[in-house]
Amino acid sequence: MACLICGKNASLKFLEYKKPDRYEAYQGITDVKREWRECRACGFKFQKRNYKLPLIEKIYEKGYRDKEFRGMTIRQAYNQVYRFGKESESWKRAEWFKANLPGVKTVLDVGAGFGIFATHLKQLGFDVECTEENRHSVNFISKALKFKVYTEIPSKTYDAVSLCHVLEHIEKPVDFIKSIPSGKIFIEVPDADRWDKLSVEHDDFNSCHLWGFGFHTLSILLEESGYKVVSAKRLYHQERNLYRLMMVAHAN
């Protein structure tokens, strides 16, 4: 498999899974041979599997945010984060967004989940709309939180687009970024440059993630997509042992 970033076909396996994780098990995928590989040329990390992607991708429409899978309702998940207020990861993310995207008013939050980041952006004065696939999320975000929600990226333009934990799920990220209806993008992904600090069972290695982006490889991907990184920050959330990378990029 050629590297998505440099195009070279020279990678080494660094993790292997032969049993389904909880995402695969929920989709009824039992015959699993999945491995994470690292390109020896550029360091990009990616996942190979012995089954077709549509089998696992069905979980986004039904399962990914559902009570029967998560163990809590969308509202319960929202309330759990909301009660932390300005100490939450989401609020700190929104503050960094505001500080690094001056002049932005309208925002499209792609893959809005249970709507907490959209809520915090709205509280900071942004005019926010959302996209989401999961039917429970769409129902909650639109009816309870009163956001305009699309199931696909709309044709209208925005001052900025948020891709918070989206790119690692997208099969063709360059094409996806090129379709973004804005000249400014905010991105947050798991920080693959810090994966050596995680256990093999950490959720960052789950079957829903296709790619592992670090600062260098994500910067290259954005350049190939017609964007240039203007600011970036690495975070560590000790409570949940999460290493994260945030970036803001502008269209060239």
Coordinates of all heavy atoms in Angstrom, one line a residue, residues 21-30 54-60 62-64 69:
D21 N -12.2 -5.2 17.9 CA -12.4 -4.3 19.0 C -13.9 -4.0 19.2 O -14.8 -4.6 18.5 CB -11.6 -3.0 18.8 CG -12.1 -2.2 17.6 OD1 -13.2 -2.5 17.0 OD2 -11.4 -1.2 17.2
R22 N -14.3 -3.1 20.0 CA -15.7 -3.0 20.3 C -16.5 -2.4 19.1 O -17.7 -2.7 19.0 CB -15.9 -2.1 21.6 CG -15.5 -0.7 21.5 CD -15.5 0.0 22.8 NE -15.1 1.4 22.8 CZ -16.0 2.4 23.1 NH1 -17.2 2.1 23.5 NH2 -15.6 3.7 23.1
Y23 N -15.9 -1.6 18.3 CA -16.5 -1.0 17.1 C -16.8 -2.1 16.1 O -17.9 -2.2 15.5 CB -15.6 0.1 16.5 CG -15.3 1.2 17.5 CD1 -14.1 1.1 18.2 CD2 -16.1 2.3 17.6 CE1 -13.8 2.1 19.1 CE2 -15.8 3.3 18.5 CZ -14.7 3.2 19.2 OH -14.3 4.2 20.1
E24 N -15.8 -3.0 15.9 CA -16.0 -4.1 14.9 C -17.0 -5.1 15.5 O -17.9 -5.6 14.7 CB -14.7 -4.8 14.7 CG -13.7 -3.9 13.9 CD -12.2 -4.4 14.0 OE1 -11.9 -4.9 15.1 OE2 -11.5 -4.3 13.0
A25 N -16.9 -5.4 16.8 CA -17.9 -6.4 17.3 C -19.3 -5.9 17.2 O -20.2 -6.6 17.0 CB -17.5 -6.6 18.8
Y26 N -19.5 -4.6 17.4 CA -20.9 -4.0 17.3 C -21.4 -4.1 15.9 O -22.6 -4.3 15.7 CB -20.8 -2.5 17.7 CG -22.2 -1.9 17.8 CD1 -23.0 -2.1 18.9 CD2 -22.7 -1.2 16.8 CE1 -24.3 -1.5 19.0 CE2 -24.0 -0.6 16.8 CZ -24.8 -0.8 18.0 OH -26.0 -0.2 18.1
Q27 N -20.5 -4.1 14.9 CA -21.0 -4.3 13.5 C -21.0 -5.7 13.1 O -21.2 -6.0 11.9 CB -20.0 -3.5 12.6 CG -20.1 -2.0 12.7 CD -21.5 -1.5 12.5 OE1 -22.3 -1.1 13.4 NE2 -21.9 -1.4 11.3
G28 N -20.7 -6.6 14.0 CA -20.7 -8.1 13.6 C -19.5 -8.5 12.8 O -19.6 -9.6 12.2
I29 N -18.4 -7.8 12.9 CA -17.2 -8.2 12.2 C -16.4 -9.0 13.1 O -15.9 -8.6 14.2 CB -16.4 -6.9 11.8 CG1 -17.2 -6.0 10.9 CG2 -15.1 -7.3 11.0 CD1 -16.6 -4.6 10.6
T30 N -16.2 -10.3 12.8 CA -15.6 -11.3 13.7 C -14.2 -11.7 13.1 O -13.3 -12.0 13.9 CB -16.5 -12.5 13.9 OG1 -16.8 -13.1 12.7 CG2 -17.7 -12.1 14.7
P54 N -16.6 -0.1 4.2 CA -18.1 0.1 4.4 C -18.6 -0.7 5.6 O -19.6 -0.3 6.2 CB -18.7 -0.3 3.1 CG -17.7 0.0 2.1 CD -16.4 -0.4 2.7
L55 N -18.0 -1.9 5.9 CA -18.5 -2.7 7.0 C -18.4 -2.0 8.3 O -19.3 -2.1 9.2 CB -17.7 -4.0 7.1 CG -18.0 -5.0 5.9 CD1 -17.1 -6.2 6.1 CD2 -19.4 -5.4 5.9
I56 N -17.3 -1.3 8.5 CA -17.1 -0.5 9.8 C -17.8 0.9 9.7 O -18.2 1.4 10.7 CB -15.6 -0.4 10.2 CG1 -15.5 0.1 11.6 CG2 -14.9 0.5 9.3 CD1 -16.0 -0.9 12.7
E57 N -17.8 1.4 8.5 CA -18.4 2.8 8.4 C -19.8 2.9 8.7 O -20.4 4.0 9.0 CB -18.0 3.3 7.0 CG -16.6 3.7 6.8 CD -16.2 4.1 5.4 OE1 -17.0 3.7 4.5 OE2 -15.2 4.8 5.2
K58 N -20.5 1.8 8.6 CA -22.0 1.8 9.0 C -22.2 2.3 10.4 O -23.3 2.7 10.7 CB -22.5 0.4 8.8 CG -22.6 -0.1 7.3 CD -23.2 -1.5 7.3 CE -23.2 -2.0 5.9 NZ -23.6 -3.4 5.8
I59 N -21.2 2.1 11.3 CA -21.4 2.5 12.7 C -21.7 4.0 12.9 O -22.2 4.4 13.9 CB -20.2 2.0 13.5 CG1 -20.5 1.9 15.0 CG2 -19.0 3.0 13.3 CD1 -19.5 1.3 15.8
Y60 N -21.2 4.8 11.9 CA -21.5 6.3 12.1 C -22.9 6.6 12.0 O -23.4 7.5 12.7 CB -20.7 7.0 11.0 CG -19.2 6.8 11.1 CD1 -18.5 6.5 9.9 CD2 -18.5 6.8 12.3 CE1 -17.1 6.2 9.9 CE2 -17.2 6.6 12.3 CZ -16.5 6.3 11.1 OH -15.1 6.0 11.2
K62 N -25.5 4.4 12.6 CA -26.2 3.8 13.7 C -25.2 3.1 14.6 O -24.6 2.1 14.2 CB -27.3 2.8 13.3 CG -28.1 2.2 14.4 CD -29.2 1.3 13.9 CE -30.0 0.8 15.1 NZ -29.3 0.2 16.2
G63 N -25.0 3.5 15.8 CA -24.1 2.9 16.7 C -23.2 3.8 17.4 O -23.0 3.9 18.6
Y64 N -22.5 4.7 16.6 CA -21.4 5.5 17.1 C -21.8 6.4 18.3 O -21.0 6.6 19.2 CB -20.8 6.3 16.0 CG -19.4 6.8 16.2 CD1 -18.3 5.8 16.1 CD2 -19.1 8.1 16.5 CE1 -17.0 6.2 16.3 CE2 -17.8 8.5 16.7 CZ -16.7 7.6 16.6 OH -15.4 8.0 16.8
F69 N -24.8 1.5 22.3 CA -23.3 1.3 22.1 C -22.5 2.0 23.2 O -21.6 1.5 23.7 CB -22.9 1.7 20.7 CG -21.5 1.6 20.4 CD1 -20.9 0.3 20.4 CD2 -20.7 2.7 20.2 CE1 -19.5 0.2 20.1 CE2 -19.3 2.6 20.0 CZ -18.7 1.3 19.9

